[in-house]
Amino acid sequence: MARTPLIAGNWKMNKTVHEALVLVAELMPRLHGLAGVEVAVCPPATALTEVNRALAGSAIGLGAQDVFWADSGAFTGMLSPPMLRDVGCKYAIIGHSERRGRFGKPDECLNPDAARVFGDTDASVNLKLKAALKHGLVPIVCVGETLPERDDGLADKTVAGQVRAGLADVAGEAVAGIVFAYEPVWAIGTGRACDAPEANRVTGVIRKTLHDAFGSEVAQAVRIQYGGSVNERNAHDLLSQPEIDGALVGGASLDASRFSQIVQATSVIAKDTRKD
Ligand code: PEP
């Protein structure tokens, strides 16, 4: 089944509104008219409204970096799915490892107790995912193992468990519209991307998990990105893997030239392999 690859830029806690608008203005002409690839940017919440305005008429979609599960209420600091739809979001990243309190470079982070402030668990990911679907947001659900889990031979089990738990009580027809991102925690922000064949293999584990739970049609429809130190040099290798349907890009998405090169590489692959 043809799956259109999705390249999404996760800007994390970077860019003021002005800087965000500069980046978008640089990106739009570079990405204009590219075929066979879907593109999204996920700025910080403070810049969503203005970036949405700037993207008007462009094919670049807007995404949020997180979403809460309730529609409204006494949840200080949270943003609901209707609020994100209101400012033009089409996508919402859910369960990013940083929001699960799992960091690729733990030394650079907060102390482990403080990191729990992010608080996402498989249960919260499941609630957020269901709320996003209910309100028509495309969830980009992140899963991935830490280095100790990989070293202990637990990568596949960890990833499959996160997929299953995230999808509890979700109907098969809704699952097809979800995007998963395989993001090994040890590869995020470290400059150490997963080898392409291994990234493809674990992505296949995710698809097999979907297959076992929801059947072949759903499993073949779901897009599964790779994320973790994707850059303009390794993009072609990673994105030409048959199981990998695009990338979730952190650091390299903050630079218009680097991000565009990743998108262009994906567009070329889509054309060559008729993936689209
Ligand atoms: C990410 O934040 O999801 C990510 C993959 O970051 P980076 O590309 O910087 O490793």
Side-chain angles (χ1 to χ4, degrees):
M1 174 181 287
R3 296 185 295 265
T4 303
L6 170 65
I7 305 294
N10 175 13
W11 296 1
K12 309 194 187 188
M13 197 177 71
N14 294 290
K15 306 288 180 192
T16 61
V17 173
H18 173 71
E19 290 164 347
L21 292 176
V22 170
L23 178 51
V24 165
E26 288 172 357
L27 274 178
M28 288 191 355
R30 289 172 192 261
L31 299 182
H32 185 71
L34 283 179
V37 56
E38 199 173 306
V39 182
V41 292
C42 305
T46 46
L48 286 171
T49 301
E50 288 300 321
V51 170
N52 182 47
R53 223 189 300 269
L55 289 176
S58 111
I60 303 173
L62 185 69
Q65 297 176 16
D66 189 24
V67 60
F68 195 61
W69 56 82
D71 287 2
S72 62
F75 302 105
T76 302
M78 299 305 185
L79 296 172
S80 72
M83 289 169 169
L84 295 177
R85 288 299 306 260
D86 187 41
V87 293
C89 286
K90 174 176 177 188
Y91 309 88
I93 299 173
I94 296 175
H96 190 281
S97 53
E98 289 156 9
R99 296 219 57 91
R100 293 180 193 250
R102 288 148 67 90
F103 287 81
K105 290 196 277 191
D107 295 350
E108 280 189 12
C109 165
L110 317 159
N111 79 41
D113 279 344
R116 285 199 207 112
V117 70
F118 291 104
D120 257 335
T121 61
D122 285 340
S124 69
V125 168
N126 176 247
L127 288 172
K128 291 177 176 187
L129 167 55
K130 288 189 283 196
L133 288 171
K134 181 175 150 209
H135 289 281
L137 287 163
V138 176
I140 301 177
V141 181
C142 302
V143 297
E145 81 286 358
T146 60
L147 196 53
E149 286 163 349
R150 172 160 283 264
D151 289 345
D152 288 347
L154 294 173
D156 296 8
K157 189 170 173 220
T158 301
V159 167
Q162 288 172 341
V163 170
R164 276 193 294 267
L167 291 174
D169 308 320
V170 180
E173 58 271 23
V175 174
I178 296 172
V179 177
F180 281 90
Y182 168 53
E183 296 216 310
V185 178
W186 47 270
I188 295 182
T190 59
R192 182 186 162 200
C194 187
D195 285 348
E198 174 62 5
N200 188 61
R201 189 193 67 76
V202 183
T203 307
V205 170
I206 295 173
R207 205 173 301 285
K208 167 88 167 58
T209 306
L210 295 169
H211 178 278
D212 292 350
F214 300 100
S216 161
E217 204 174 319
V218 170
Q220 287 306 314
V222 170
R223 291 182 291 178
I224 309 175
Q225 302 172 302
Y226 166 78
S229 297
V230 175
N231 59 41
E232 61 283 14
R233 293 179 302 283
N234 61 23
H236 185 274
D237 200 16
L238 284 159
L239 296 167
S240 53
Q241 298 294 318
E243 292 290 358
I244 297 179
D245 307 314
L248 185 54
V249 185
S253 72
L254 299 173
D255 180 279
S257 164
R258 299 182 69 197
F259 189 64
S260 308
Q261 288 179 61
I262 294 168
V263 176
Q264 277 153 5
T266 315
S267 175
V268 168
I269 294 162
K271 208 166 131 218
D272 286 353
T273 61
R274 300 189 178 276
K275 239 185 174 179
D276 59 332

